[in-house]
Amino acid sequence: MTLTGKRVTIGRGDGNDVVIEGDARASREHAVLTHDGTAWRISDCNSTNGTYVNSVRISQPVRLSDGDRIHVGASVLTVQVQDEVVVRPKTIDLGTSPKVGDYTLSVEDRRLLALLAKGATDREIASVLNITTHEATEAVTDLAYRTSAARRIDLARLGASLSMS
């Protein structure tokens, strides 16, 4: 979809410019893109599950660049800048496990997956990684978004499939 105008809304509600269909994780009014004359920026609309740009949850407007990935619920939109900004939605089947070839895992990601494969709780992850329980929860959520894992068990299975358990 090619974005035009100064303001584009994203959400699962029918009144949005970009409607995210069949994604219960997306809010009715999830995020808004605005164009300031030189660049597009995205802002979260106080959505329940947050808006992520390149796997980082945003709390302020963020300028978008070519290749940026916008996570809205379980859906991923990729920004493609040419003469104009184009977003390409990626449909995620919530019934399947993520494929390793779809993303790159850092050393920290692999360590987190290893803990999840062993069935570690957020509290146990926090203890091992020397972070707060809240930070552990956020790390698991972030990894789930980046890998398109629908559930925590999908991350554990991914960790096990990579021989990390």
Side-chain angles (χ1 to χ4, degrees):
M1 156 182 273
T2 302
L3 304 182
T4 59
K6 299 258 184 222
R7 187 172 193 275
V8 177
T9 58
I10 302 172
R12 73 170 198 271
D14 291 335
N16 289 290
D17 300 304
V18 178
V19 178
I20 308 294
E21 296 179 2
D23 185 348
R25 289 182 173 178
S27 294
R28 282 188 284 283
E29 296 174 357
H30 199 100
V32 63
L33 296 165
T34 53
H35 196 272
D36 63 9
T38 59
W40 284 96
R41 297 185 187 281
I42 187 167
S43 303
D44 184 68
C45 295
N46 294 318
S47 63
T48 302
N49 294 311
T51 301
Y52 292 73
V53 175
N54 299 326
S55 304
V56 176
R57 188 172 186 158
I58 64 170
S59 58
Q60 302 286 329
V62 172
R63 181 182 176 147
L64 296 173
S65 300
D66 189 44
D68 283 346
R69 292 179 335 270
I70 302 168
H71 294 265
V72 174
S75 301
V76 180
L77 307 171
T78 303
V79 176
Q80 182 180 23
V81 178
Q82 295 170 349
D83 292 333
E84 55 215 15
V85 172
V86 178
V87 292
R88 305 246 183 253
K90 174 185 174 188
T91 304
I92 299 169
D93 181 356
L94 297 179
T96 63
S97 295
K99 295 181 180 125
V100 175
D102 293 342
Y103 44 83
T104 304
L105 296 172
S106 68
V107 172
E108 293 82 15
D109 293 338
R110 292 176 182 276
R111 192 167 178 203
L112 181 56
L113 283 171
L115 291 166
L116 290 167
K118 293 177 182 177
T121 65
D122 288 350
R123 184 175 294 183
E124 292 166 333
I125 290 169
S127 176
V128 170
L129 299 182
N130 199 26
I131 57 177
T132 67
T133 302
H134 178 73
E135 290 170 326
T137 302
E138 289 293 315
V140 172
T141 300
D142 175 61
L143 186 58
Y145 271 103
R146 288 188 288 120
T147 60
S148 302
R151 301 165 302 209
R152 187 182 185 102
I153 189 68
D154 294 327
L155 289 173
R157 287 180 183 144
L158 176 61
S161 73
L162 295 173
S163 300
M164 294 182 194
S165 55

